[in-house]
Amino acid sequence: MNGTSANVISRLHGGLGNQLFQYAVGRAVAIRTGAELLLDARLLTDRNPFQYDLGNFRIEARLANDDELPPARNHPIAYTWWRVLRHSPRFIREQGLGFNERVSTIGPDCYLHGYFQSERYFAGITADLRRELSLKSDARGDNARMAERIQGGPSVSMHIRRGDYIASAKALSTHGSTGLAYYQRALEEIRARSGEDPVVYLFSNDPDWVRENMKLDAKLVPVAINDGRTAHEDLRLMSLCNHNVIANSTFSWWGAWLNPSPGKIVAAPAQWFASLKLSNPDITPSTWLRLGD
């Protein structure tokens, strides 16, 4: 690494929801230390099922050049030299899945490696993040029409994550898929707490399954406008709903978090992982409901 500035570098990996968490923790450290935030997107190549997805947002960071980054794993000698001798930038690995207090005290010249899935990492910069995680362009076409429809009356988003979560035995045992009973209970809670009967807007990476299987006592509107390349548009539509029912997914987590309504009701699964070996006690903000099936 040839650069001389003491930057904060966030390693990006995973889909849009993960990248938003990695941006948010890096931005919080950068603001606190007065450093520039750089993004390491080297893993997000054409061979990766996930691509760099932050370019549609008004983020205050830039993609790092190669000479500003530490060695990558495909250069094992240089990589080991950096890690073992603790050369600049300091390698900061996430410890466990919950909030790590150490991150709130580190200085600049650091390389953040992990998921960092907790609002606690960036609670002090909420206003900055809401501004920076707004989209650069206005909604158009079908997305603009759906946005207008959502804002026309009481609404709740429901996110049903299937696809990659059930694609293999390993994925199913790790993540699982939230059951219909959870969504019905969440809808009942929102009705009781809001005194409204909202239209339910259904978002999923398996829209055909949703159309056939999501049977709820409500007016249901499947939203199947976007694909992986325009997932940020689904995120915006979720955030426009009055209330949000999320899956055990960082994607809909951000759809709910970006909802600016002070009166929003957000329901989240009490069990985030199917595997009992995994736990993140800090993933759900304290104001959200945690519901079981």
Side-chain angles (χ1 to χ4, degrees), residues 195-226:
E196 300 173 333
D197 189 18
V199 176
V200 177
Y201 292 87
L202 302 173
F203 297 81
S204 180
N205 58 352
D206 193 349
D208 292 337
W209 185 95
V210 165
R211 290 189 184 94
E212 292 295 324
N213 295 279
M214 285 297 289
K215 309 297 183 184
L216 298 172
D217 179 22
K219 181 176 181 180
L220 305 179
V221 179
V223 181
I225 301 171
N226 299 296

Side-chain angles (χ1 to χ4, degrees), residues 115-292:
Y115 291 99
F116 302 104
Q117 293 174 357
S118 174
E119 182 188 41
R120 294 177 64 185
Y121 287 113
F122 47 86
I125 61 164
T126 295
D128 298 277
L129 276 183
R130 291 194 183 281
R131 181 179 63 255
E132 294 167 19
L133 298 184
S134 61
L135 294 177
K136 293 178 180 177
S137 59
D138 295 334
R140 298 178 181 178
D142 290 341
N143 281 298
R145 287 185 285 273
M146 184 60 71
E148 184 177 8
R149 183 175 181 181
I150 286 172
Q151 294 175 294
S155 59
V156 57
S157 70
M158 281 191 180
H159 182 220
I160 302 92
R161 179 76 173 262
R162 288 175 54 80
D164 56 328
Y165 271 24
I166 62 170
S168 67
K170 181 180 179 181
L172 188 60
S173 64
T174 300
H175 299 287
S177 184
T178 308
L180 184 61
Y182 159 73
Y183 292 102
Q184 183 63 53
R185 183 180 175 193
L187 178 59
E188 291 168 358
E189 287 283 351
I190 288 172
R191 281 173 170 159
R193 293 168 183 257
S194 68
E196 300 173 333
D197 189 18
V199 176
V200 177
Y201 292 87
L202 302 173
F203 297 81
S204 180
N205 58 352
D206 193 349
D208 292 337
W209 185 95
V210 165
R211 290 189 184 94
E212 292 295 324
N213 295 279
M214 285 297 289
K215 309 297 183 184
L216 298 172
D217 179 22
K219 181 176 181 180
L220 305 179
V221 179
V223 181
I225 301 171
N226 299 296
D227 57 21
R229 295 169 299 176
T230 56
H232 56 279
E233 294 289 355
D234 272 354
L235 206 68
R236 169 160 47 197
L237 292 174
M238 289 181 188
S239 74
L240 294 176
C241 292
N242 298 110
H243 312 292
N244 309 94
V245 179
I246 72 171
N248 55 330
S249 165
T250 57
F251 181 72
S252 49
W253 190 102
W254 280 102
W257 192 87
L258 290 170
N259 177 351
S261 173
K264 68 183 178 185
I265 301 167
V266 180
Q271 185 173 334
W272 196 261
F273 297 100
S275 173
L276 298 180
K277 297 179 181 179
L278 300 174
S279 176
N280 181 349
D282 303 309
I283 196 165
T284 307
S286 60
T287 56
W288 294 8
L289 304 176
R290 298 198 66 172
L291 304 176

Side-chain angles (χ1 to χ4, degrees), residues 12-20 22 40-57 63 228-231:
L12 299 182
H13 55 105
L16 176 54
N18 286 324
Q19 292 177 40
L20 288 169
Q22 291 149 9
D40 179 359
R42 288 177 294 185
L43 287 179
L44 303 175
T45 66
D46 292 339
R47 297 185 300 274
N48 193 313
F50 300 112
Q51 301 300 308
Y52 174 68
D53 283 329
L54 299 182
N56 296 294
F57 299 87
L63 291 172
R229 295 169 299 176
T230 56

Side-chain angles (χ1 to χ4, degrees), residues 59-76:
I59 60 172
E60 293 289 335
R62 63 179 175 84
L63 291 172
N65 300 316
D66 286 346
D67 63 355
E68 295 174 306
L69 293 170
R73 281 183 177 273
N74 59 350
H75 298 284

